């Protein structure tokens, strides 16, 4: 029997995660690049971002090939760690009782760096179940799992408590999401006066639109690099007021030059990054903003 009730239009079930997000999660659930795992193994700080600062290129002169590889790996890790410390320094001052939020935490290195610097509590969120599990295991091994926690969640909709965070950040993860949705979530999580920091690769508005190299980087990582202008518009719309902006493009070059020579670690994207930075179409940027 058909009733009037049955005749109502039905709504298709909304998936909790978009097809795009599933594809991104698949990438990170299967990613095992030596450039991430071999660097991380050095001191159990697993980063998913690039490095900054002057590189010691003399590591390439080592005649013994096994030792040369080891030295190059350590030098790249040193540069990535310097990048993580630069970001962490902008989060503070923070007290051990403060909570921080790491949006797109990868295998967890950034939250550990923040915790070691400030003694603070950290919540890292990643769309990859495998990364969340890996990061959690690292925190347990370090004996800091009571203060540093990782969650398999969406950074746009974390379910974490409103206004509970003194600082939050994205370290090279904003290119996977819509900035307005992301910054609305940061603004919700941060307490008034809280600090937000982002390090990102963005395309340069003065170049025009996305260059061939920027498009190749998007295809390589399945991401969608935003223009520089989009960051400032979206921050302003979401109660986040920039207090410091730093162009790190020059400082990013030595890392890529060394990585391109690291035959045991290259992934194939190295020359594209170098061209993108050198032709002016792509910039490496740090923005720190206050939540008002
Ligand atoms: C590095 O992660 C960052 C990203 C994948 C996001 C894209 C970043 C831009 C600046 C465009 P990773 O450390 O896992 O990458 P890789 O395996 O290449 O080292
Ligand atoms: Mg890496």
């Amino acid at each position: 029997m058909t009733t009037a009730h049955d005749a109502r239009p039905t709504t298709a079930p909304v998936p909790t995660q978009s097809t795009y997000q599933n594809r991104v999660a698949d990438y990170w659930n299967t990613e095992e690049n030596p450039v991430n795992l071999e660097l991380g193994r050095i001191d159990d700080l697993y980063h998913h971002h690039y490095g900054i600062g002057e590189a010691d290129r003399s590591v390439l002169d080592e005649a013994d090939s096994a030792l040369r590889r080891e030295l190059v790996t350590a030098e790249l890790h040193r540069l990535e760690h310097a990048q993580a410390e630069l970001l962490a320094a902008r989060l503070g001052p923070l007290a051990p009782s403060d909570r921080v939020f790491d949006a797109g935490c990868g295998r967890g290195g950034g939250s550990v760096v923040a915790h070691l610097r400030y003694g603070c509590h950290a919540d890292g969120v990643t769309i990859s179940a495998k990364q969340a599990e890996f990061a959690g295991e690292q925190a347990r091994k370090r004996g800091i799992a009571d203060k540093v926690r990782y969650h398999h969640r969406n950074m746009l909709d974390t379910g974490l408590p409103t206004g509970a965070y003194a600082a939050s950040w994205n370290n090279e993860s904003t290119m996977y999401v819509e900035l307005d949705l992301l910054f609305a979530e940061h603004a919700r999580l941060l307490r008034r006066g809280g600090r937000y920091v982002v390090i990102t690769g963005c395309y340069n508005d003065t170049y025009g639109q996305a260059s061939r190299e920027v498009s190749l980087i998007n295809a390589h990582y399945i991401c969608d690099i935003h223009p520089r202008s989009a960051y400032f518009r979206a921050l302003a719309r979401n109660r986040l007021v920039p207090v410091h902006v730093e162009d790190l493009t020059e400082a990013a070059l030595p890392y890529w030059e060394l990585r391109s020579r690291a035959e045991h670690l290259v992934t194939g994207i190295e020359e594209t990054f170098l061209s993108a930075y050198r032709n002016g179409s792509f910039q490496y940027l740090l923005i720190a903003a206050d939540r008002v």
Side-chain angles (χ1 to χ4, degrees), residues 11-257:
T11 310
V14 179
T16 50
Q17 191 161 287
S18 69
T19 308
Y20 169 74
Q21 289 167 343
N22 285 331
R23 295 293 298 273
V24 171
D26 287 347
Y27 175 98
W28 294 108
N29 283 334
T30 51
E31 183 276 327
E32 296 203 331
N33 291 339
V35 74
N36 298 320
L37 294 175
E38 285 190 26
L39 272 62
R41 251 175 235 130
I42 291 173
D43 56 2
D44 288 334
L45 283 174
Y46 290 84
H47 298 300
H48 280 282
H49 52 75
Y50 313 124
I52 50 162
E54 278 312 313
D56 177 4
R57 295 174 63 88
S58 72
V59 292
L60 294 166
D61 302 333
E62 171 57 49
D64 179 272
S65 67
L67 182 55
R68 183 173 66 248
R69 286 175 177 213
E70 222 175 277
L71 293 173
V72 169
T73 303
E75 184 60 2
L76 288 171
H77 188 59
R78 188 183 68 78
L79 299 177
E80 290 192 3
H81 189 75
Q83 193 267 27
E85 291 286 0
L86 183 85
L87 189 155
R90 290 279 166 196
L91 298 170
L94 294 169
S97 56
D98 282 329
R99 284 176 83 164
V100 299
F101 165 55
D102 179 358
C105 63
R107 287 186 173 93
S111 286
V112 177
V113 168
H115 168 75
L116 294 178
R117 176 180 278 256
Y118 299 109
C120 57
H121 299 259
D123 284 295
V125 165
T126 168
I127 201 170
S128 157
K130 193 169 151 220
Q131 285 187 331
E133 195 186 319
F134 184 100
E137 183 54 27
Q138 290 299 316
R140 276 187 291 281
K141 276 196 205 155
R142 256 181 207 273
I144 57 172
D146 57 328
K147 292 200 94 172
V148 178
R149 296 193 173 86
Y150 298 97
H151 314 269
H152 173 216
R153 296 188 194 181
N154 187 326
M155 65 168 117
L156 301 180
D157 185 14
T158 61
L160 295 171
T162 300
Y165 293 85
S168 67
W169 70 91
N170 285 92
N171 198 346
E172 296 184 16
S173 49
T174 50
M175 57 289 295
Y176 290 99
V177 294
E178 298 90 329
L179 292 181
D180 269 297
L181 303 181
L182 175 69
F183 294 158
E185 184 65 349
H186 280 285
R188 183 185 74 76
L189 294 172
L190 286 169
R191 62 166 166 72
R192 192 176 168 82
R195 170 62 54 82
Y196 172 69
V197 182
V198 57
I199 294 184
T200 192
C202 56
Y203 79 74
N204 188 356
D205 299 80
T206 66
Y207 181 90
Q209 300 225 42
S211 65
R212 178 171 181 276
E213 291 77 14
V214 167
S215 300
L216 288 170
I217 296 168
N218 281 338
H220 182 85
Y221 292 108
I222 330 177
C223 64
D224 185 12
I225 291 164
H226 306 289
R228 174 159 45 105
S229 57
Y231 283 88
F232 297 93
R233 287 203 195 94
L235 287 168
R237 279 193 292 254
N238 289 283
R239 309 180 63 158
L240 294 165
V241 181
V243 63
H244 180 81
V245 179
E246 200 169 336
D247 184 352
L248 299 170
T249 309
E250 280 294 318
L253 285 171
Y255 169 86
W256 285 105
E257 281 159 359

